[in-house]
Amino acid sequence: MVFGMANGLSSLISELVLNFSRDDEWTWSLEASGGFSRVSLNRLPTKDNLMRRGIALSSSVCLFCGKEEESRDHCFLLCPIIKIIWKKVWSWWKSPSLFCPSLDDILKGNFEFLDNKLVSKLLHVVCLSLLWHIWRWRNKILHAQTESGETPIRHEDIFPSLQRMSFLWTSNRAPINRVVWDNWIQRPGVLI
Ligand SMILES: [Zn+2]
């Protein structure tokens, strides 16, 4: 593995605490505490949620596109900026061109085009990892607004990091079917 990638992987994994105590499902948290617990995405402090709780904000606009109100579904799925990343994921996993799951389908791991249960689970991991990346990216932009340097953060490409982190997660979780990096990138639905 090249040095740069190894560095990238170790910095990613240092931010994670994984819980392997359950066999058949993934639990996770987007909270800064780092522990993976069961958290509803709709309890996250998205701007619409904060305003509903009476918290005054200078703007309710999405931090990615700067146009629509930031809600759970907009932030994680419907925002045009985020849609581009999901399209990359679906293309990477060679889904049918019209594949367009809801956020609930994504959270539950319902991928109708996959009939192999294990492959479906792997894609579920990728999706959860992307949700985590989106929320982390969104918070970086939010905090950068009070400092300088927002533009480079806004132009970050989180897709390569998503591929690396989900590879780490799956290779740690797939003791029987080995996941090899080159296959993961080129043919993620084909196990060896
Ligand atoms: Zn948006």
Side-chain angles (χ1 to χ4, degrees), residues 94-105:
K94 299 176 178 47
S95 74
S97 54
L98 294 178
F99 184 61
C100 188
S102 68
L103 192 56
D104 284 338
D105 281 335

Side-chain angles (χ1 to χ4, degrees), residues 23 30 48 55 66 68 74-75 101 108 128 130 133 163 167 188:
D23 282 340
L30 290 163
D48 66 331
I55 296 167
E68 293 187 40
H74 180 84
C75 178
K108 286 175 190 155
L128 295 183
L130 178 52
H133 273 85
Q163 288 186 308
F167 173 73

Side-chain angles (χ1 to χ4, degrees), residues 41-59:
L41 272 186
N42 219 15
R43 290 175 55 199
L44 287 171
T46 49
K47 292 186 176 181
D48 66 331
N49 270 346
L50 290 175
M51 289 177 106
R52 220 173 286 134
R53 289 179 211 156
I55 296 167
L57 299 175
S58 56
S59 163

Side-chain angles (χ1 to χ4, degrees), residues 14-44:
S14 67
E15 298 173 30
L16 281 173
V17 180
L18 299 179
N19 180 356
F20 295 127
S21 60
R22 300 180 75 105
D23 282 340
D24 57 355
E25 64 183 19
W26 291 83
T27 59
W28 70 312
S29 165
L30 290 163
E31 291 171 328
S33 65
F36 272 55
S37 61
R38 202 173 293 270
V39 171
S40 159
L41 272 186
N42 219 15
R43 290 175 55 199
L44 287 171

Side-chain angles (χ1 to χ4, degrees), residues 5 15 27 31 47 55 79 91 153 165 175-176 182:
M5 186 189 291
E15 298 173 30
T27 59
E31 291 171 328
K47 292 186 176 181
I55 296 167
C79 175
S91 158
I153 296 171
M165 182 185 280
I176 298 169
D182 287 348

Side-chain angles (χ1 to χ4, degrees), residues 61-69 74-75 78-82:
V61 161
C62 164
L63 289 159
F64 297 123
C65 67
K67 288 181 182 159
E68 293 187 40
E69 181 179 78
H74 180 84
C75 178
L78 301 176
C79 175
I81 306 293
I82 298 303

